[in-house]
Amino acid sequence: MIRFSVLILCLLICVGCGPQQVTVEDHQSTPAHIELQPPVTIESFVRRGEPFESTYTAVPERVVAMWQNSIETIIALGEGDRIVAGMGIPDRKYVRPEYRAAYDTIPYKDLKYANLESVLMMKPDLLVGWKSTFTNKMLQTPTFWQARQANVYIAESSLGAQSALTMDMEYKYIRDLGRIFNRNMEAERLIQEMQQSVAYTVAQTANEKPPKALFIEVEGKHFRLYGHKTLAGNIGDSLHADVIDTETPSISMEDVVEQNPDVIFLIVSDGEYSQADVIMNYVLTQPGLQGVNALRNKRVHFLPLLAVYSPGIRLSDGIDIVSHGLYPNLYPEGVPDLIH
């Protein structure tokens, strides 16, 4: 196999800053060149209401993937050897165990983005990321990359909350990447596994009273509320939970007491994992919440943000955590723990 080395300027150590200049030594073997017949055209969005199309005549061979959804979904489809840079995962331990070997072979891996000059020197033919990735202040717009013979795919669920976020968006994301990488059967299998998991839980609990579920994130003295228009809420709705929602983006301690949820899903971002137990303890020790059913019955569970915000393949974890938390009698093994 042909091997190549791409040296990209020295890494500037810069904590908390924007995109950084990096050094990447690429020892990957050249992946197989696969023509797409007929060519595949995919619609994506710069922002809602502004679609753009990308046409693929061959499976991408040099992929820059931003954030965990992109990296792990491409690996799950069996195409991890095409990733030349994977950015946005803070630590290898948060990668699914079955994906770690493929993740380890990616030449450049870091939480922070490489800067534009460095990414250009990687010579990508596909960049996959979120809306926030493709701005003039970050890695430029899709038009910029298309002029350089590189396609861009933006996860629809990263565009913002102007409309409801749903599991169907994540299924489309997986399906689109399956088309781009000529892995249609693999994509459908991954989607069907998630759909079957939802269908099983719904069928087995059809005669149960819908449990009252609260999806929250700690924000100071209040909680950020994840209601029906969020992916977390959509998962709960699909699993026949009575999802607590309000007309405001937050919910007070007093409102939590009044709503009296049967189960609470405590959302934490990957940057908070090291403090997750402190955050949990804060919720569990609030004097005013001690009479709430979820606390009395020890049904407060972690729900990592990576499983409910533009998760791609990690939607399966979101489904598992929520279904196990809602229906402990059906899933006596307990709620999966992705944090510890």
Side-chain angles (χ1 to χ4, degrees):
M1 300 291 283
I2 300 172
R3 293 180 180 274
F4 46 84
S5 252
V6 179
L7 296 180
I8 303 177
L9 307 176
C10 295
L11 172 64
L12 298 177
I13 300 173
C14 183
V15 178
C17 63
Q20 59 186 357
Q21 213 161 12
V22 301
T23 299
V24 175
E25 188 169 353
D26 189 345
H27 292 298
Q28 283 183 311
S29 298
T30 303
H33 181 77
I34 302 174
E35 297 286 336
L36 293 173
Q37 297 293 341
V40 171
T41 298
I42 302 289
E43 183 180 76
S44 190
F45 294 84
V46 178
R47 55 183 62 86
R48 296 198 185 280
E50 293 188 27
F52 68 94
E53 289 187 345
S54 300
T55 298
Y56 301 80
T57 58
V59 172
E61 296 175 16
R62 297 187 61 80
V63 182
V64 172
M66 275 70 68
W67 302 114
Q68 194 149 353
N69 63 327
S70 303
I71 298 167
E72 290 195 304
T73 302
I74 294 170
I75 290 174
L77 290 170
E79 297 295 331
D81 63 338
R82 297 178 185 273
I83 302 175
V84 296
M87 296 176 269
I89 296 180
D91 194 291
R92 178 184 185 272
K93 65 185 178 183
Y94 301 134
V95 177
R96 272 190 180 175
E98 62 266 36
Y99 302 155
R100 287 175 187 165
Y103 178 73
D104 289 343
T105 67
I106 297 173
Y108 174 71
K109 302 178 287 294
D110 201 293
L111 173 61
K112 293 190 285 292
Y113 285 5
N115 67 12
L116 179 61
E117 181 182 3
S118 298
V119 175
L120 281 167
M121 293 181 70
M122 295 174 189
K123 299 181 180 179
D125 53 6
L126 173 64
L127 299 94
V128 185
W130 294 350
K131 171 189 172 183
S132 58
T133 308
F134 299 104
T135 67
N136 291 328
K137 293 183 178 180
M138 295 299 291
L139 294 184
Q140 288 295 328
T141 64
T143 302
F144 173 91
W145 288 105
Q146 287 178 329
R148 289 159 177 80
Q149 290 72 54
N151 280 319
V152 167
Y153 184 85
I154 299 175
E156 184 180 1
S157 51
S158 73
L159 299 181
Q162 292 94 332
S163 63
L165 303 177
T166 66
M167 292 193 293
D168 284 341
M169 283 184 184
E170 303 309 313
Y171 297 150
K172 179 181 182 297
Y173 176 82
I174 296 169
R175 189 172 284 120
D176 282 350
L177 288 179
R179 293 177 63 203
I180 291 169
F181 288 97
N182 197 34
R183 292 282 191 168
N184 298 291
M185 291 180 61
E186 290 84 350
E188 292 304 322
R189 176 181 57 78
L190 294 169
I191 293 167
Q192 288 174 12
E193 286 174 357
M194 289 184 266
Q195 292 174 329
Q196 289 169 0
S197 179
V198 172
Y200 172 80
T201 300
V202 170
Q204 295 298 313
T205 60
N207 297 322
E208 291 191 25
K209 179 182 177 181
K212 203 169 190 179
L214 177 66
F215 297 86
I216 54 171
E217 182 179 357
V218 173
E219 282 191 339
K221 295 182 179 180
H222 290 74
F223 300 113
R224 179 180 179 183
L225 181 66
Y226 288 71
H228 298 296
K229 290 188 176 182
T230 68
L231 179 58
N234 182 248
I235 295 172
D237 288 334
S238 299
L239 293 167
H240 290 178
D242 178 8
V243 175
I244 295 171
D245 203 355
T246 68
E247 295 181 357
T248 60
S250 63
I251 186 169
S252 67
M253 297 276 187
E254 294 76 16
D255 289 335
V256 173
V257 173
E258 182 178 348
Q259 291 286 346
N260 194 22
D262 298 307
V263 56
I264 295 174
F265 294 98
L266 184 57
I267 294 173
V268 291
S269 66
D270 48 19
E272 298 174 324
Y273 286 170
S274 62
Q275 296 298 312
D277 291 335
V278 174
I279 296 170
M280 177 66 79
N281 187 63
Y282 170 79
V283 175
L284 295 179
T285 59
Q286 287 299 309
L289 298 181
Q290 297 310 303
V292 171
N293 285 342
L295 273 73
R296 289 194 301 106
N297 297 320
K298 302 185 185 304
R299 294 182 65 190
V300 183
H301 308 292
F302 287 122
L303 180 57
L305 189 65
L306 69 87
V308 291
Y309 179 76
S310 197
I313 188 61
R314 284 303 190 104
L315 174 61
S316 61
D317 291 306
I319 293 169
D320 285 348
I321 290 169
V322 176
S323 60
H324 285 58
L326 290 174
Y327 303 107
N329 293 334
L330 180 61
Y331 298 103
E333 65 272 23
V335 175
D337 184 355
L338 304 186
I339 293 176
H340 297 96

